[in-house]
Amino acid sequence: MSSGFVIIGAGPSGLYLARELGRFLDNVIIFEEDRELGLPPHCTGLVNINSISALGIAPPIVNTYRYVRITDLEGNSVTFDFMGNSIAMLDRPGLENYLAEGINASLILGERVLEVKPSGLVTRNHRNVDYSIAVIAEGAVGSLSGKLIPWRQRYVYGVQSDVRSFRSNGLMPRSLDEIVVIFDRRLSNHFFAWIVPRDSHEYRIGVADDIDVWTKFTALMRMVDAGGGKYFGGKVIIGGSPDHVVTGRVALIGDAAGFVKPMTGGGIVMGMVSARLLADSIINALNNGLTAENGLAIYDSVFRRLIRGKITALSAASHILHEVMGTELNAALKSLSGVRVRVSDYDNHVGAVVKAALVSPGRFLRALSFIMGGVLSQGINDILSMIKNLV
């Protein structure tokens, strides 16, 4: 079997790439190992509505949100007001099916790609496929991309479920448009937990961490008297970036290429941004008399010059934040407790922190002193090791 452009993975990144390429090309084929689009679900599905609009899509939405309240188990909290319901929980199966509607590509479900060789790829059904360009959009798993472009990922594992709860306490959202994020070492050593309303008394509750995730998840479920629902989740990349996103005639996009928001592990919008960047690079190359491989080179160059450094810097900030969780971060939350911050962009986490600083500079500096005390207490060798692992 021969094909021009092969995409491996029919998640948001792969389908969005097929959508963009299919406007100009007729020889795109997508392989997806699962038999249904969007299933099994993996992530919470939270995105900035403005970012989705900027990508030119309008997928189905479960609920929208205005507030994000960051709290610990003692009730110390900071609330971020995004001034309008600018955050959305996407219907994840609905997103994939929406992106697949009307794409100019052949979609093959239930067929896993086992190997990508320079001469072609091999599927579990013993299909050998030639390609002019192959794009790996396999998500965080890294089974194919890791063999071609190895890189050091920082990741945690997430477990979540859609449940019902009638409990009213300090952990529960105060309204249907408020998301609760819990930073507390008793629930997560190096990440956080979350409670996101879906409807009246219906919530998406989850925990991510590097150890004992199931134990911590069940503890949170007991705290809020939640029950019912199927469990889902998986690996969540929160740091690291490959040196390159192209090797030969193969490109990486989405989580496989490190296109995530390190603070939260969110990859839906970032993944589609990487797909848009790759599609534009290929199409512009072809329109200017160059080859598709020239387009891959453009994509890789833009990634290295404009994107990799930002991802690495945010990965470092995320690492510092999650490493000092515990007494230092609890003290910081206590110092800032009760502060309300108005923020315009859900995707700009650094901007949100700066806004918090401007609302109450004195309290923010005290909070920062707690956090920096925690970082410095790790010792010079530990800090040097941390930096070495991030670059």
Side-chain angles (χ1 to χ4, degrees):
M1 177 181 178
S2 63
S3 178
F5 289 79
V6 175
I7 300 170
I8 303 165
S13 302
L15 288 169
Y16 189 82
L17 177 63
R19 177 181 181 272
E20 294 299 297
L21 286 177
R23 295 177 177 178
F24 300 89
L25 305 171
D26 296 321
N27 55 349
V28 179
I29 184 171
I30 313 170
F31 287 98
E32 167 56 45
E33 64 178 345
D34 294 314
R35 296 185 180 277
E36 292 185 68
L37 290 175
L39 297 174
H42 297 287
C43 70
T44 308
L46 295 176
V47 298
N48 184 338
I49 292 177
N50 292 336
S51 297
I52 292 296
S53 298
L55 287 167
I57 60 175
I61 290 173
V62 176
N63 195 15
T64 59
Y65 310 91
R66 173 171 177 168
Y67 305 101
V68 175
R69 177 162 56 94
I70 298 176
T71 187
D72 59 19
L73 293 179
E74 307 303 326
N76 301 304
S77 66
V78 177
T79 299
F80 293 90
D81 179 354
F82 290 89
M83 298 177 287
N85 288 26
S86 61
I87 308 169
M89 177 189 286
L90 299 183
D91 173 355
R92 274 305 305 273
L95 169 64
E96 272 89 331
N97 282 282
Y98 166 84
L99 291 173
E101 289 177 0
I103 60 172
N104 181 25
S106 298
L107 176 58
I108 300 176
L109 297 173
E111 187 159 2
R112 181 179 180 181
V113 173
L114 299 178
E115 189 174 4
V116 179
K117 303 177 181 180
S119 58
L121 56 86
V122 180
T123 74
R124 176 171 286 174
N125 295 350
H126 308 292
R127 192 195 306 250
N128 292 289
V129 182
D130 297 328
Y131 60 84
S132 59
I133 298 294
V135 180
I136 299 177
E138 64 180 343
V141 62
S143 60
L144 296 173
S145 56
K147 295 177 182 177
L148 296 174
I149 306 179
W151 56 285
R152 185 191 295 270
Q153 298 177 349
R154 286 186 51 249
Y155 58 88
V156 292
Y157 289 98
V159 178
Q160 56 190 325
S161 182
D162 292 335
V163 300
R164 293 181 63 81
S165 173
F166 295 89
R167 172 64 70 92
S168 177
N169 61 25
L171 288 181
M172 298 302 291
R174 296 169 293 195
S175 61
L176 283 175
D177 61 352
E178 180 182 74
I179 298 167
V180 173
V181 178
I182 308 165
F183 279 91
D184 197 295
R185 193 174 290 275
R186 286 166 287 184
L187 281 180
S188 180
N189 285 313
H190 296 120
F191 208 56
F192 54 80
W194 57 92
I195 304 175
V196 186
R198 288 170 50 86
D199 204 339
S200 180
H201 303 296
E202 295 182 5
Y203 305 90
R204 181 162 291 175
I205 295 179
V207 173
D209 202 3
D210 51 0
I211 56 172
D212 299 328
V213 179
W214 180 256
T215 300
K216 294 164 183 175
F217 171 71
T218 54
L220 176 59
M221 294 279 278
R222 287 194 297 270
M223 290 178 190
V224 297
D225 286 339
K230 296 181 179 180
Y231 308 111
F232 59 95
K235 184 178 177 181
V236 181
I237 296 175
I238 59 170
S241 175
D243 293 332
H244 292 271
V245 288
V246 170
T247 177
R249 294 179 293 133
V250 181
L252 313 182
I253 61 172
D255 284 20
F259 277 81
V260 298
K261 295 187 291 184
M263 291 288 188
T264 64
I268 294 176
V269 169
M270 287 287 286
M272 288 190 283
V273 167
S274 70
R276 178 74 164 269
L277 175 59
L278 176 56
D280 287 350
S281 298
I282 291 172
I283 293 165
N284 287 336
L286 295 175
N287 286 340
N288 285 281
L290 302 174
T291 67
E293 287 188 60
N294 294 139
L296 295 191
I298 294 170
Y299 170 63
D300 193 50
S301 176
V302 172
F303 168 79
R304 288 177 58 79
R305 288 189 296 109
L306 302 179
I307 297 171
R308 184 177 183 273
K310 292 181 174 63
I311 293 176
T312 302
L314 289 174
S315 295
S318 172
H319 185 71
I320 291 172
L321 172 65
H322 296 305
E323 279 298 314
V324 302
M325 285 180 62
T327 56
E328 296 86 6
L329 191 55
N330 290 146
L333 274 173
K334 185 175 182 179
S335 178
L336 287 169
S337 188
V339 167
R340 297 176 68 88
V341 186
R342 300 186 72 186
V343 186
S344 59
D345 186 358
Y346 173 64
D347 286 333
N348 187 354
H349 300 137
V350 174
V353 173
V354 171
K355 283 271 191 176
L358 294 176
V359 167
S360 182
R363 295 167 74 183
F364 180 79
L365 288 174
R366 288 197 298 274
L368 185 63
S369 70
F370 287 120
I371 292 176
M372 292 309 297
V375 173
L376 294 175
S377 70
Q378 296 181 61
I380 296 299
N381 289 333
D382 289 340
I383 294 172
L384 291 175
S385 177
M386 179 201 314
I387 294 172
K388 182 180 179 181
N389 289 332
L390 288 169
V391 299

